Amino acid sequence: MDRHKIPRTKELEFGGVLGAACLLILLPATVFTLLLICGTEQASLLNFPLPLPTLRSLWNPQDFVLVLAWVGLQALLYMLPLGKVAEGTVLRDKSRLTYRINGIHAMWITALLLGVGMAAGLRLSYIYDHLLQLAFSASVLAFGLSILLYLKALLAPGTALAPGGNSGNPIYDFFIGHELNPRIGTFDLKFFCELRPGLLGWALINMGMLVKETELRGNPSLAMILVNAFQLLYVVDAFWNEEAILTTMDIVHEGFGFMLAFGDLAWVPFLYSLQSYFLVTHPQKLSLPVAGGIILLNGLGYSVFRSANSQKNTFRRNPADPKVAGLKTIPTATGRRLLVSGWWGFVRHPNYLGDLIMAFAWSLPCGISHILPYFYVLYFTLLLIHREARDEHQCLRKYGLAWQEYCRRVPYRIFPYLY
């Protein structure tokens, strides 16, 4: 028996098989419900727009081709021999996969191509006019990719399966992801989808909303500019620090199935851009002092987010680096050490705290008369609390008594003095 073979998954998450089955329906339903409501005059969760659009009205072959072309373009840019090649974390069989880190190059090339296209007459406001159809096409693509991923995983060796997606139940494994690092040759499907089509798609949709507002009112509002600028900064930061995602839970632990595929291709670009979509039909006037306060709040969140992540990544790469060498640590049985000072002595997940401060700042330009633009910060709060609980479970299992000591010395999880 292969000692590196992944054992059966015993602890099922998200409510087990029933929860996974429900989420296969609820996640797409949430995307379309929020987009439909956001496009109404009231934009109220209490006034659901009826009748529902038909499948015929949602399915547009041209829009499906556009989504495929977008993903195909990003795939081609991913394969360009630009940037560096980095190694991932050590796998169960002690090997390491290599990854091409060229996301920032892909971003700039995409921006150049979009600039040329707009100069030649490309109408980015088409995104607003066909948002539901584009979201439907992205959802169809995510389902199709998930099916192919599951079929591929059935042919994969036992050592290639995901620790959390090997339950033996096809519904659960399809949702969570059966194979850990599915690849076609050297093309890593999970690493590619983690940032490329979704995050750049998010920024592209925001830009389409800005262009649409300009067409309707002559110029973009200050609120729209702030939302675009804040979220573009986040996207650029993600690509500038692309190598850091190689140590995240999504890459190290999660299989690649419907949960991540739908999240990357549909949920992120079409729901994270909800604020800009809202502002097209619900314009908001911001005074300069209010705008200045929102900018400062976003700057605070970004500062916490970036400095905490940089501190963690620097320590992981080289604990002797002068930037982190003076920080206090706790030794563990694995040979690694846990940071217990700096940002990571303030709360256990300071990067999550920064993320949530930014999320709140992104919603504020939409005013306070509607709850819908605050979906992102509410959802993200629940997501990060859930993810934090999963992190805690993994770390306790991995580090044992050392993690218990860390929790004793750093009692607050995300929000200081609250949680």
Side-chain angles (χ1 to χ4, degrees), residues 101 103-104 107-108 235-243 306:
I101 308 296
I104 196 71
M107 186 190 70
W108 291 123
V235 171
V236 172
D237 178 89
F239 283 103
W240 186 263
N241 298 282
E242 183 182 21
E243 187 177 350
R306 175 44 40 216

Side-chain angles (χ1 to χ4, degrees), residues 33-68:
T33 297
L34 292 178
L35 290 180
L36 284 168
I37 292 174
C38 195
T40 65
E41 183 178 350
Q42 296 82 12
S44 171
L45 295 173
L46 301 178
N47 294 322
F48 191 80
L50 293 173
L52 293 175
T54 63
L55 287 178
R56 178 174 292 184
S57 69
L58 290 175
W59 172 251
N60 185 324
Q62 177 178 304
D63 292 328
F64 186 69
V65 170
L66 286 175
V67 170
L68 283 179

Side-chain angles (χ1 to χ4, degrees), residues 332-367:
T332 72
T334 66
R336 298 180 65 177
R337 304 182 74 86
L338 300 174
L339 278 175
V340 74
S341 64
W343 281 112
W344 300 87
F346 179 54
V347 290
R348 294 181 217 163
H349 299 275
N351 51 337
Y352 292 178
L353 176 62
D355 242 330
L356 291 172
I357 294 173
M358 284 190 291
F360 187 53
W362 299 351
S363 301
L364 285 174
C366 299

Side-chain angles (χ1 to χ4, degrees), residues 138-277:
S139 300
V140 170
L141 179 60
F143 269 103
L145 175 60
S146 301
I147 292 170
L148 293 176
L149 288 168
Y150 183 73
L151 294 176
K152 180 183 181 302
L154 294 178
L155 302 176
T159 56
L161 302 181
N166 189 31
S167 70
N169 183 282
I171 295 176
Y172 184 82
D173 293 345
F174 172 83
F175 176 78
I176 291 291
H178 197 30
E179 189 175 359
L180 183 61
N181 299 297
R183 289 189 163 204
I184 301 174
T186 59
F187 192 101
D188 193 288
L189 294 166
K190 182 169 69 171
F191 178 71
F192 165 71
C193 287
E194 184 74 11
L195 292 183
R196 307 302 178 99
L199 254 68
L200 284 178
W202 173 17
L204 178 64
I205 291 172
N206 276 347
M207 190 179 300
M209 300 304 146
L210 185 147
V211 171
K212 183 66 178 182
E213 187 183 51
T214 303
E215 289 179 0
L216 291 174
R217 301 185 183 91
N219 52 66
S221 64
L222 179 56
M224 179 69 80
I225 291 172
L226 288 184
V227 168
N228 267 260
F230 292 163
Q231 296 182 352
L232 181 61
L233 171 64
Y234 191 84
V235 171
V236 172
D237 178 89
F239 283 103
W240 186 263
N241 298 282
E242 183 182 21
E243 187 177 350
I245 72 168
L246 296 180
T247 59
T248 61
M249 178 183 282
D250 284 358
I251 299 298
V252 175
H253 179 74
E254 306 284 16
F256 192 33
F258 178 83
M259 181 177 71
L260 288 183
F262 184 81
D264 294 340
L265 298 176
W267 184 277
V268 166
F270 291 97
L271 282 192
Y272 284 22
S273 57
L274 203 62
Q275 290 99 342
S276 62
Y277 185 42

